[in-house]
Amino acid sequence: MRVKLKSGRDQRKFIARIEELSGENVFACYQCGRCSAGCPMASEMDLLPNQIIRLVQMGLDEDVLRSKTLFLCASCFTCESRCPKGIDMARVMEAVRHILDPKGKDAFGPGEISPELAQELPQQVLVSIFRKFSK
Amino acid sequence: MRVHYYPGCTLKQKTTALDISTREAMKRLDIELVEPEGWSCCGAEYPLTEEKIVGLAAPIRVLRQVREEGGDVLVTTCSFCFAVLKRADKAVKDDPLKRKRVNAYLRDDIQIDPLTKERTTGFEDYNGEVKVLHLLEYLRDRVGYPKIRERLKRNLKGLAIAPYYGCRVLRPQKEMAVDEPDSPRLFEEFLEAVGCAAVDYPFKQECCGSYISVSLPAAATEASYRILRSARMNGAKAVAVTCPLCFYNMDHRQEAIKETFLDFPGLPVVFFTQLLAWALGVDKSVLGLGEHRVPADDLFSETPATEVRT
Protein backbone atom coordinates (compact mmCIF):
# COMPACT_ATOMS: atom_id res chain seq x y z
CA MET A 1 0.00 0.00 0.00
CA ARG A 2 1.36 3.42 -0.99
CA VAL A 3 0.57 6.62 0.88
CA LYS A 4 1.80 10.17 0.51
CA LEU A 5 3.40 11.28 3.75
CA LYS A 6 2.61 14.69 5.18
CA SER A 7 4.03 16.46 8.16
CA GLY A 8 2.44 19.51 9.66
CA ARG A 9 0.23 20.94 12.34
CA ASP A 10 -2.89 19.21 11.02
CA GLN A 11 -1.22 15.84 11.26
CA ARG A 12 -0.05 16.44 14.82
CA LYS A 13 -3.48 17.73 15.79
CA PHE A 14 -5.18 14.67 14.32
CA ILE A 15 -2.95 12.28 16.26
CA ALA A 16 -3.38 14.21 19.50
CA ARG A 17 -7.16 14.31 19.07
CA ILE A 18 -7.41 10.56 18.44
CA GLU A 19 -5.30 9.87 21.53
CA GLU A 20 -7.36 12.27 23.61
CA LEU A 21 -10.68 10.79 22.54
CA SER A 22 -9.68 7.14 22.68
CA GLY A 23 -7.45 7.31 25.74
CA GLU A 24 -5.09 4.95 23.90
CA ASN A 25 -1.41 5.43 23.02
CA VAL A 26 -1.42 4.74 19.29
CA PHE A 27 2.39 4.77 19.14
CA ALA A 28 2.51 1.65 21.29
CA CYS A 29 1.54 -0.33 18.16
CA TYR A 30 4.44 -2.14 16.50
CA GLN A 31 2.39 -3.57 13.64
CA CYS A 32 2.32 -7.24 14.62
CA GLY A 33 -1.06 -7.61 12.90
CA ARG A 34 -2.81 -9.73 15.51
CA CYS A 35 -5.78 -7.34 15.52
CA SER A 36 -6.32 -7.86 11.80
CA ALA A 37 -5.68 -11.61 12.00
CA GLY A 38 -8.49 -12.13 14.48
CA CYS A 39 -10.95 -9.56 13.16
CA PRO A 40 -14.24 -11.22 12.10
CA MET A 41 -14.98 -8.40 9.66
CA ALA A 42 -11.47 -8.14 8.12
CA SER A 43 -12.54 -9.72 4.83
CA GLU A 44 -14.93 -6.81 4.17
CA MET A 45 -12.51 -4.02 5.09
CA ASP A 46 -10.62 -1.76 2.69
CA LEU A 47 -8.05 -0.99 5.39
CA LEU A 48 -7.25 -3.57 8.04
CA PRO A 49 -7.26 -2.53 11.71
CA ASN A 50 -3.44 -2.51 11.87
CA GLN A 51 -3.33 -0.34 8.75
CA ILE A 52 -5.77 2.12 10.32
CA ILE A 53 -3.56 2.49 13.36
CA ARG A 54 -0.44 2.89 11.20
CA LEU A 55 -2.12 5.67 9.23
CA VAL A 56 -3.17 7.31 12.51
CA GLN A 57 0.47 7.17 13.69
CA MET A 58 1.43 9.01 10.50
CA GLY A 59 -1.35 11.54 10.95
CA LEU A 60 -2.92 10.76 7.58
CA ASP A 61 -6.39 11.89 8.56
CA GLU A 62 -7.90 11.92 5.06
CA ASP A 63 -6.97 8.30 4.35
CA VAL A 64 -8.37 7.17 7.69
CA LEU A 65 -11.56 9.22 7.57
CA ARG A 66 -12.64 7.94 4.16
CA SER A 67 -12.09 4.26 5.01
CA LYS A 68 -15.07 1.87 4.95
CA THR A 69 -13.46 0.04 7.86
CA LEU A 70 -14.85 2.55 10.38
CA PHE A 71 -18.34 1.24 9.65
CA LEU A 72 -17.49 -2.43 9.64
CA CYS A 73 -16.10 -2.63 13.16
CA ALA A 74 -18.62 -4.53 15.29
CA SER A 75 -16.90 -3.52 18.57
CA CYS A 76 -16.47 -7.18 19.48
CA PHE A 77 -13.13 -6.42 21.22
CA THR A 78 -11.37 -9.48 19.83
CA CYS A 79 -8.49 -7.20 18.79
CA GLU A 80 -8.43 -5.64 22.25
CA SER A 81 -8.14 -9.03 23.93
CA ARG A 82 -5.24 -10.09 21.70
CA CYS A 83 -3.15 -6.92 21.38
CA PRO A 84 0.24 -7.60 22.96
CA LYS A 85 0.63 -3.87 23.62
CA GLY A 86 -2.75 -3.48 25.30
CA ILE A 87 -4.27 -1.12 22.76
CA ASP A 88 -8.06 -1.11 22.56
CA MET A 89 -8.51 -0.80 18.80
CA ALA A 90 -12.30 -0.47 19.14
CA ARG A 91 -11.71 2.78 21.03
CA VAL A 92 -9.43 4.07 18.27
CA MET A 93 -12.13 3.24 15.70
CA GLU A 94 -14.75 5.04 17.79
CA ALA A 95 -12.48 8.07 18.17
CA VAL A 96 -12.07 8.29 14.38
CA ARG A 97 -15.84 8.01 13.89
CA HIS A 98 -16.27 10.74 16.49
CA ILE A 99 -14.25 13.28 14.49
CA LEU A 100 -15.98 12.68 11.16
CA ASP A 101 -17.72 15.75 9.80
CA PRO A 102 -20.74 16.30 12.07
CA LYS A 103 -22.65 17.79 9.13
CA GLY A 104 -21.90 14.83 6.90
CA LYS A 105 -24.25 12.05 5.93
CA ASP A 106 -25.04 9.24 8.36
CA ALA A 107 -23.05 6.13 7.56
CA PHE A 108 -26.22 4.22 8.38
CA GLY A 109 -29.53 5.90 9.05
CA PRO A 110 -33.06 4.82 9.97
CA GLY A 111 -34.21 5.30 6.36
CA GLU A 112 -32.22 2.27 5.31
CA ILE A 113 -34.35 -0.12 7.34
CA SER A 114 -37.63 -1.26 5.82
CA PRO A 115 -40.71 -1.22 8.09
CA GLU A 116 -40.93 -5.02 7.83
CA LEU A 117 -37.33 -5.46 8.94
CA ALA A 118 -37.79 -2.94 11.76
CA GLN A 119 -40.67 -5.07 13.05
CA GLU A 120 -38.45 -8.12 13.16
CA LEU A 121 -35.19 -6.72 14.53
CA PRO A 122 -34.50 -6.86 18.27
CA GLN A 123 -34.57 -3.36 19.77
CA GLN A 124 -31.01 -3.61 21.01
CA VAL A 125 -29.64 -3.84 17.47
CA LEU A 126 -31.46 -0.68 16.39
CA VAL A 127 -30.20 1.26 19.41
CA SER A 128 -26.64 0.03 18.97
CA ILE A 129 -26.29 0.55 15.22
CA PHE A 130 -27.61 4.11 15.39
CA ARG A 131 -25.39 4.86 18.35
CA LYS A 132 -22.40 3.64 16.36
CA PHE A 133 -23.10 4.69 12.79
CA SER A 134 -25.36 7.72 12.79
CA LYS A 135 -24.82 11.19 14.16
CA MET B 1 -33.41 -14.93 48.04
CA ARG B 2 -34.40 -11.64 46.49
CA VAL B 3 -32.36 -9.91 43.81
CA HIS B 4 -32.75 -7.00 41.41
CA TYR B 5 -33.14 -8.05 37.81
CA TYR B 6 -32.74 -5.87 34.72
CA PRO B 7 -34.44 -7.40 31.66
CA GLY B 8 -33.61 -4.63 29.18
CA CYS B 9 -35.58 -3.50 26.16
CA THR B 10 -35.46 -6.54 23.91
CA LEU B 11 -36.54 -9.08 26.50
CA LYS B 12 -39.81 -7.24 27.07
CA GLN B 13 -40.84 -7.17 23.42
CA LYS B 14 -39.10 -9.29 20.82
CA THR B 15 -37.21 -11.94 22.74
CA THR B 16 -39.55 -12.75 25.60
CA ALA B 17 -38.31 -16.36 25.59
CA LEU B 18 -35.18 -15.26 27.44
CA ASP B 19 -37.18 -13.28 30.00
CA ILE B 20 -39.89 -15.84 30.74
CA SER B 21 -37.49 -18.78 30.94
CA THR B 22 -35.32 -16.77 33.34
CA ARG B 23 -38.33 -16.03 35.55
CA GLU B 24 -39.56 -19.62 35.52
CA ALA B 25 -36.10 -20.96 36.35
CA MET B 26 -35.57 -18.49 39.19
CA LYS B 27 -38.95 -19.42 40.71
CA ARG B 28 -37.77 -23.02 40.89
CA LEU B 29 -34.62 -21.88 42.71
CA ASP B 30 -36.69 -19.78 45.16
CA ILE B 31 -35.15 -16.55 43.91
CA GLU B 32 -37.43 -13.56 43.70
CA LEU B 33 -36.57 -11.21 40.82
CA VAL B 34 -37.29 -7.52 41.37
CA GLU B 35 -37.21 -5.03 38.52
CA PRO B 36 -35.95 -1.57 39.47
CA GLU B 37 -38.85 0.91 39.36
CA GLY B 38 -38.99 2.97 36.20
CA TRP B 39 -35.98 1.36 34.57
CA SER B 40 -35.03 2.61 31.14
CA CYS B 41 -32.93 1.38 28.21
CA CYS B 42 -29.26 0.94 29.13
CA GLY B 43 -28.14 2.47 25.84
CA ALA B 44 -26.98 -0.83 24.32
CA GLU B 45 -23.51 0.53 23.59
CA TYR B 46 -20.98 1.61 26.18
CA PRO B 47 -19.54 4.95 24.99
CA LEU B 48 -15.98 4.25 23.90
CA THR B 49 -14.72 7.81 23.68
CA GLU B 50 -13.71 9.91 26.62
CA GLU B 51 -16.10 12.71 25.66
CA LYS B 52 -19.38 10.81 25.39
CA ILE B 53 -20.16 11.03 29.10
CA VAL B 54 -23.89 11.35 28.46
CA GLY B 55 -23.95 7.72 27.34
CA LEU B 56 -23.24 6.76 30.95
CA ALA B 57 -26.32 8.53 32.28
CA ALA B 58 -28.87 5.84 31.33
CA PRO B 59 -27.06 2.86 32.88
CA ILE B 60 -26.06 4.83 35.99
CA ARG B 61 -29.67 5.95 36.46
CA VAL B 62 -30.73 2.29 36.53
CA LEU B 63 -27.98 1.40 39.01
CA ARG B 64 -28.81 4.34 41.24
CA GLN B 65 -32.45 3.24 41.34
CA VAL B 66 -31.34 -0.22 42.46
CA ARG B 67 -29.36 1.37 45.28
CA GLU B 68 -32.33 3.58 46.24
CA GLU B 69 -34.40 0.41 46.60
CA GLY B 70 -31.80 -1.08 48.90
CA GLY B 71 -30.27 -3.47 46.39
CA ASP B 72 -26.56 -4.16 46.13
CA VAL B 73 -26.64 -6.60 43.20
CA LEU B 74 -28.18 -6.23 39.76
CA VAL B 75 -28.54 -9.35 37.64
CA THR B 76 -28.98 -9.26 33.89
CA THR B 77 -29.05 -11.87 31.14
CA CYS B 78 -28.62 -9.87 27.92
CA SER B 79 -24.92 -9.54 27.09
CA PHE B 80 -25.32 -5.99 25.79
CA CYS B 81 -27.06 -4.75 28.95
CA PHE B 82 -24.53 -6.58 31.07
CA ALA B 83 -21.56 -4.97 29.32
CA VAL B 84 -23.00 -1.45 29.40
CA LEU B 85 -24.11 -1.61 33.05
CA LYS B 86 -20.91 -3.23 34.27
CA ARG B 87 -18.58 -0.92 32.34
CA ALA B 88 -20.54 2.20 33.30
CA ASP B 89 -20.39 1.16 36.95
CA LYS B 90 -16.65 0.61 36.72
CA ALA B 91 -16.11 3.94 34.97
CA VAL B 92 -17.94 5.75 37.76
CA LYS B 93 -16.01 3.84 40.43
CA ASP B 94 -12.58 4.35 38.90
CA ASP B 95 -12.74 7.82 37.38
CA PRO B 96 -13.64 10.69 39.72
CA LEU B 97 -14.18 13.12 36.84
CA LYS B 98 -16.64 10.82 35.05
CA ARG B 99 -18.39 10.19 38.37
CA LYS B 100 -18.81 13.90 38.94
CA ARG B 101 -20.01 14.63 35.43
CA VAL B 102 -22.49 11.78 35.09
CA ASN B 103 -23.97 12.53 38.50
CA ALA B 104 -24.34 16.17 37.48
CA TYR B 105 -26.49 15.02 34.57
CA LEU B 106 -28.67 12.94 36.84
CA ARG B 107 -29.10 15.21 39.83
CA ASP B 108 -32.34 16.76 38.57
CA ASP B 109 -33.76 13.44 37.49
CA ILE B 110 -37.13 12.35 38.83
CA GLN B 111 -37.16 9.59 41.39
CA ILE B 112 -40.16 7.37 41.89
CA ASP B 113 -40.69 5.93 45.33
CA PRO B 114 -41.21 2.17 44.94
CA LEU B 115 -43.92 2.07 47.60
CA THR B 116 -45.82 5.35 47.53
CA LYS B 117 -45.13 6.11 43.84
CA GLU B 118 -44.31 9.62 45.03
CA ARG B 119 -42.16 11.60 42.63
CA THR B 120 -39.21 13.45 44.07
CA THR B 121 -36.05 14.91 42.69
CA GLY B 122 -32.54 15.58 43.91
CA PHE B 123 -30.71 12.66 45.39
CA GLU B 124 -27.35 11.38 46.32
CA ASP B 125 -24.64 10.68 43.78
CA TYR B 126 -24.09 7.16 42.57
CA ASN B 127 -20.59 6.04 43.46
CA GLY B 128 -20.61 2.41 42.37
CA GLU B 129 -22.56 0.82 45.21
CA VAL B 130 -24.23 -1.87 43.09
CA LYS B 131 -22.49 -4.96 41.78
CA VAL B 132 -23.54 -5.92 38.26
CA LEU B 133 -23.62 -9.66 37.65
CA HIS B 134 -24.48 -11.72 34.63
CA LEU B 135 -26.99 -14.42 35.48
CA LEU B 136 -24.32 -17.03 34.70
CA GLU B 137 -22.04 -15.40 37.29
CA TYR B 138 -24.90 -15.08 39.75
CA LEU B 139 -25.70 -18.78 39.41
CA ARG B 140 -22.05 -19.69 39.89
CA ASP B 141 -21.15 -17.32 42.71
CA ARG B 142 -24.33 -16.58 44.64
CA VAL B 143 -26.65 -19.54 44.04
CA GLY B 144 -24.00 -22.19 43.56
CA TYR B 145 -24.06 -25.23 41.30
CA PRO B 146 -24.73 -27.69 44.18
CA LYS B 147 -28.08 -25.99 44.84
CA ILE B 148 -28.98 -26.18 41.14
CA ARG B 149 -28.04 -29.88 41.05
CA GLU B 150 -30.24 -30.54 44.08
CA ARG B 151 -33.25 -29.00 42.38
CA LEU B 152 -32.93 -30.74 39.02
CA LYS B 153 -36.15 -32.46 38.00
CA ARG B 154 -35.18 -33.67 34.56
CA ASN B 155 -32.14 -35.58 33.44
CA LEU B 156 -30.78 -33.99 30.28
CA LYS B 157 -28.54 -37.04 29.84
CA GLY B 158 -25.47 -35.19 28.67
CA LEU B 159 -27.19 -33.39 25.80
CA ALA B 160 -24.35 -31.96 23.67
CA ILE B 161 -24.63 -28.16 23.76
CA ALA B 162 -22.14 -25.66 22.36
CA PRO B 163 -21.80 -22.69 24.72
CA TYR B 164 -21.59 -19.42 22.82
CA TYR B 165 -20.23 -16.44 24.74
CA GLY B 166 -20.14 -13.91 21.91
CA CYS B 167 -18.40 -10.60 22.25
CA ARG B 168 -19.65 -8.67 25.24
CA VAL B 169 -19.61 -11.04 28.20
CA LEU B 170 -15.85 -11.63 28.26
CA ARG B 171 -14.22 -8.60 26.68
CA PRO B 172 -12.54 -6.26 27.47
CA GLN B 173 -11.25 -8.54 30.17
CA LYS B 174 -9.83 -5.80 32.38
CA GLU B 175 -13.30 -4.31 32.70
CA MET B 176 -15.58 -7.34 32.50
CA ALA B 177 -13.34 -9.61 34.60
CA VAL B 178 -15.78 -12.52 34.25
CA ASP B 179 -13.43 -15.20 32.99
CA GLU B 180 -10.40 -15.75 30.75
CA PRO B 181 -11.22 -14.17 27.37
CA ASP B 182 -9.69 -16.97 25.29
CA SER B 183 -10.27 -20.02 27.47
CA PRO B 184 -13.43 -19.37 29.50
CA ARG B 185 -15.10 -22.00 31.69
CA LEU B 186 -18.13 -20.12 33.05
CA PHE B 187 -20.68 -21.29 30.47
CA GLU B 188 -19.24 -24.83 30.30
CA GLU B 189 -19.54 -25.27 34.06
CA PHE B 190 -23.13 -24.04 33.95
CA LEU B 191 -24.07 -26.51 31.20
CA GLU B 192 -22.49 -29.36 33.10
CA ALA B 193 -24.35 -28.33 36.26
CA VAL B 194 -27.72 -28.62 34.50
CA GLY B 195 -26.86 -32.01 33.07
CA CYS B 196 -25.71 -31.11 29.55
CA ALA B 197 -22.32 -31.89 28.03
CA ALA B 198 -20.45 -28.74 26.97
CA VAL B 199 -19.05 -29.03 23.46
CA ASP B 200 -15.60 -27.55 23.05
CA TYR B 201 -15.19 -25.69 19.76
CA PRO B 202 -12.96 -22.85 18.62
CA PHE B 203 -15.66 -20.27 17.81
CA LYS B 204 -17.28 -19.91 21.24
CA GLN B 205 -16.06 -16.35 21.75
CA GLU B 206 -15.97 -15.19 18.13
CA CYS B 207 -18.28 -12.40 17.00
CA CYS B 208 -21.62 -13.31 15.34
CA GLY B 209 -21.62 -10.08 13.33
CA SER B 210 -23.53 -8.11 15.98
CA TYR B 211 -25.24 -4.97 14.60
CA ILE B 212 -23.43 -5.39 11.27
CA SER B 213 -26.28 -7.79 10.43
CA VAL B 214 -28.40 -4.69 9.76
CA SER B 215 -25.91 -2.65 7.72
CA LEU B 216 -24.13 -5.48 5.89
CA PRO B 217 -26.15 -8.69 6.32
CA ALA B 218 -23.80 -10.80 4.18
CA ALA B 219 -20.90 -10.23 6.58
CA ALA B 220 -22.97 -11.27 9.59
CA THR B 221 -24.32 -14.27 7.70
CA GLU B 222 -20.78 -15.48 7.18
CA ALA B 223 -19.70 -14.77 10.75
CA SER B 224 -22.71 -16.64 12.16
CA TYR B 225 -22.20 -19.51 9.72
CA ARG B 226 -18.63 -20.02 10.91
CA ILE B 227 -19.84 -20.36 14.50
CA LEU B 228 -22.75 -22.68 13.74
CA ARG B 229 -20.70 -24.88 11.42
CA SER B 230 -17.92 -25.24 13.96
CA ALA B 231 -20.39 -26.11 16.72
CA ARG B 232 -22.09 -28.70 14.52
CA MET B 233 -18.83 -30.23 13.32
CA ASN B 234 -17.81 -30.70 16.94
CA GLY B 235 -20.95 -32.66 17.69
CA ALA B 236 -23.30 -30.07 19.20
CA LYS B 237 -27.05 -30.67 19.05
CA ALA B 238 -27.65 -26.94 19.64
CA VAL B 239 -25.86 -23.69 20.39
CA ALA B 240 -26.71 -21.99 23.69
CA VAL B 241 -26.61 -18.18 23.80
CA THR B 242 -27.12 -15.42 26.35
CA CYS B 243 -27.83 -12.50 24.05
CA PRO B 244 -30.98 -11.68 22.01
CA LEU B 245 -28.85 -10.34 19.17
CA CYS B 246 -26.73 -13.51 18.92
CA PHE B 247 -30.05 -15.36 18.89
CA TYR B 248 -31.39 -13.17 16.09
CA ASN B 249 -28.25 -13.53 13.99
CA MET B 250 -27.98 -17.29 14.39
CA ASP B 251 -31.62 -18.36 14.69
CA HIS B 252 -33.81 -15.80 12.88
CA ARG B 253 -31.28 -15.40 10.08
CA GLN B 254 -30.41 -19.07 9.78
CA GLU B 255 -32.56 -19.43 6.66
CA ALA B 256 -30.27 -16.90 4.92
CA ILE B 257 -27.22 -18.78 6.22
CA LYS B 258 -28.52 -22.05 4.76
CA GLU B 259 -29.28 -20.39 1.42
CA THR B 260 -25.77 -18.94 1.22
CA PHE B 261 -23.83 -21.91 2.56
CA LEU B 262 -25.35 -25.02 1.07
CA ASP B 263 -23.19 -27.40 3.11
CA PHE B 264 -24.86 -26.26 6.34
CA PRO B 265 -27.94 -28.31 7.26
CA GLY B 266 -29.05 -26.23 10.25
CA LEU B 267 -28.66 -26.22 14.04
CA PRO B 268 -31.08 -25.06 16.75
CA VAL B 269 -30.13 -22.08 18.93
CA VAL B 270 -31.42 -21.90 22.50
CA PHE B 271 -31.07 -19.60 25.48
CA PHE B 272 -29.13 -20.93 28.44
CA THR B 273 -32.11 -20.11 30.64
CA GLN B 274 -34.37 -22.39 28.59
CA LEU B 275 -32.04 -25.30 29.35
CA LEU B 276 -31.93 -24.32 33.01
CA ALA B 277 -35.71 -23.97 33.29
CA TRP B 278 -36.26 -27.26 31.48
CA ALA B 279 -33.83 -29.13 33.71
CA LEU B 280 -35.52 -27.63 36.77
CA GLY B 281 -38.82 -29.09 35.66
CA VAL B 282 -40.53 -26.11 34.02
CA ASP B 283 -43.27 -27.01 31.55
CA LYS B 284 -42.29 -26.90 27.88
CA SER B 285 -45.16 -24.54 27.03
CA VAL B 286 -43.61 -21.67 29.03
CA LEU B 287 -40.13 -21.83 27.56
CA GLY B 288 -41.01 -19.51 24.68
CA LEU B 289 -40.13 -22.10 22.05
CA GLY B 290 -42.61 -20.51 19.65
CA GLU B 291 -40.15 -17.66 19.12
CA HIS B 292 -37.58 -19.92 17.50
CA ARG B 293 -37.35 -19.93 13.70
CA VAL B 294 -35.22 -23.06 13.81
CA PRO B 295 -37.41 -25.57 15.66
CA ALA B 296 -35.84 -26.48 18.98
CA ASP B 297 -38.72 -28.61 20.30
CA ASP B 298 -36.88 -31.90 19.88
CA LEU B 299 -34.30 -30.81 22.44
CA PHE B 300 -37.05 -30.44 25.00
CA SER B 301 -38.83 -33.72 24.40
CA GLU B 302 -40.50 -35.36 27.33
CA THR B 303 -38.76 -38.68 27.40
CA PRO B 304 -39.49 -40.23 30.78
CA ALA B 305 -37.12 -38.65 33.25
CA THR B 306 -35.86 -41.87 34.72
CA GLU B 307 -33.20 -40.86 37.16
CA VAL B 308 -33.22 -37.59 38.98
CA ARG B 309 -29.78 -36.37 39.87
CA THR B 310 -29.21 -35.35 43.43
Side-chain angles (χ1 to χ4, degrees):
Chain A
M1 178 186 169
R2 290 158 67 98
V3 290
K4 192 175 173 194
L5 292 176
K6 286 184 273 184
S7 170
R9 219 160 114 200
D10 285 353
Q11 275 66 49
R12 287 197 296 277
K13 257 171 73 181
F14 175 68
I15 301 166
R17 186 78 178 118
I18 295 291
E19 291 202 324
E20 183 187 19
L21 281 166
S22 67
E24 302 294 315
N25 170 15
V26 294
F27 291 100
C29 173
Y30 52 24
Q31 290 292 302
C32 72
R34 274 184 92 180
C35 49
S36 304
C39 178
M41 292 294 139
S43 61
E44 307 289 334
M45 290 174 171
D46 52 357
L47 291 173
L48 295 169
N50 70 301
Q51 292 174 315
I52 292 278
I53 204 156
R54 185 73 187 116
L55 291 169
V56 172
Q57 287 174 339
M58 294 190 286
L60 298 173
D61 51 350
E62 287 167 19
D63 298 78
V64 176
L65 290 171
R66 66 164 169 256
S67 171
K68 281 198 316 189
T69 298
L70 307 176
F71 300 103
L72 287 163
C73 172
S75 304
C76 74
F77 306 104
T78 304
C79 47
E80 184 276 342
S81 77
R82 295 181 184 172
C83 178
K85 302 295 301 238
I87 302 170
D88 189 341
M89 189 61 207
R91 295 187 78 106
V92 176
M93 292 278 190
E94 184 117 323
V96 178
R97 282 194 296 268
H98 190 104
I99 58 173
L100 284 166
D101 180 9
K103 294 192 205 83
K105 220 176 126 243
D106 282 346
F108 190 85
E112 289 168 74
I113 298 177
S114 69
E116 298 78 48
L117 185 61
Q119 278 300 312
E120 180 186 292
L121 290 170
Q123 286 88 337
Q124 75 184 109
V125 75
L126 295 170
V127 179
S128 61
I129 196 163
F130 296 140
R131 282 226 154 169
K132 288 285 177 186
F133 295 167
S134 60
K135 305 243 158 59
Chain B
M1 276 205 287
R2 188 174 180 273
V3 70
H4 278 88
Y5 164 65
Y6 180 79
C9 59
T10 309
L11 272 66
K12 284 287 176 186
Q13 294 276 335
K14 299 273 168 72
T15 319
T16 53
L18 180 51
D19 185 49
I20 56 175
S21 55
T22 301
R23 288 175 191 281
E24 291 296 330
M26 292 305 110
K27 260 188 235 165
R28 301 283 173 136
L29 292 168
D30 296 327
I31 295 163
E32 188 195 344
L33 298 177
V34 189
E35 288 181 33
E37 281 288 323
W39 62 264
S40 54
C41 168
C42 66
E45 289 292 339
Y46 176 75
L48 292 175
T49 59
E50 294 299 314
E51 291 183 6
K52 284 189 190 159
I53 304 291
V54 71
L56 298 173
I60 295 302
R61 183 179 165 276
V62 172
L63 292 169
R64 190 186 58 187
Q65 183 60 29
V66 174
R67 183 201 62 192
E68 295 297 310
E69 293 172 20
D72 58 356
V73 170
L74 180 62
V75 172
T76 176
T77 51
C78 165
S79 309
F80 271 52
C81 302
F82 174 55
V84 175
L85 291 163
K86 181 144 184 180
R87 296 183 73 175
D89 177 60
K90 186 164 167 55
V92 163
K93 256 187 210 140
D94 294 353
D95 186 337
L97 185 64
K98 279 187 184 156
R99 179 160 69 227
K100 200 174 150 194
R101 288 179 66 187
V102 73
N103 278 306
Y105 276 122
L106 291 170
R107 210 155 285 147
D108 297 327
D109 193 16
I110 296 164
Q111 182 184 328
I112 305 160
D113 189 288
L115 298 171
T116 62
K117 307 286 177 206
E118 193 184 319
R119 285 164 178 262
T120 47
T121 187
F123 35 110
E124 282 176 37
D125 287 359
Y126 179 79
N127 303 309
E129 293 91 345
V130 176
K131 192 164 175 60
V132 181
L133 291 175
H134 193 276
L135 183 60
L136 282 171
E137 281 183 291
Y138 183 75
L139 292 171
R140 178 189 64 186
D141 302 337
R142 305 286 169 113
V143 180
Y145 299 138
K147 181 175 169 187
I148 296 175
R149 286 200 184 92
E150 266 171 36
R151 304 278 174 106
L152 292 183
K153 292 283 185 297
R154 285 194 182 95
N155 184 354
L156 301 192
K157 297 176 185 158
L159 180 65
I161 300 288
Y164 178 65
Y165 291 88
C167 54
R168 301 288 162 93
V169 175
L170 299 168
R171 301 186 291 260
Q173 205 241 348
K174 59 179 182 284
E175 288 175 61
M176 302 311 289
V178 169
D179 207 337
E180 284 294 317
D182 273 327
S183 53
R185 286 291 303 153
L186 174 67
F187 213 148
E188 282 82 349
E189 286 168 7
F190 162 79
L191 289 172
E192 283 154 14
V194 298
C196 298
V199 173
D200 193 22
Y201 68 118
F203 282 83
K204 64 178 90 161
Q205 68 281 59
E206 290 284 319
C207 172
C208 68
S210 190
Y211 49 77
I212 302 292
S213 67
V214 185
S215 54
L216 189 64
T221 301
E222 196 182 334
S224 299
Y225 161 69
R226 286 195 295 254
I227 298 157
L228 290 166
R229 182 188 58 173
S230 173
R232 207 188 139 87
M233 274 166 50
N234 284 285
K237 299 285 178 233
V239 172
V241 299
T242 70
C243 170
L245 184 48
C246 303
F247 180 73
Y248 174 79
N249 282 343
M250 292 200 281
D251 175 272
H252 279 39
R253 301 196 65 254
Q254 201 174 111
E255 208 47 52
I257 296 171
K258 279 155 78 173
E259 279 166 20
T260 315
F261 299 98
L262 299 172
D263 64 319
F264 179 66
L267 191 66
V269 181
V270 297
F271 287 110
F272 72 108
T273 48
Q274 290 174 317
L275 295 169
L276 175 65
W278 178 246
L280 291 170
V282 173
D283 195 72
K284 190 176 175 174
S285 62
V286 285
L287 294 177
L289 292 169
E291 280 176 23
H292 294 243
R293 295 268 171 95
V294 182
D297 292 61
D298 289 354
L299 298 165
F300 303 94
S301 64
E302 197 76 71
T303 47
T306 44
E307 62 178 281
V308 175
R309 287 224 250 166
T310 49

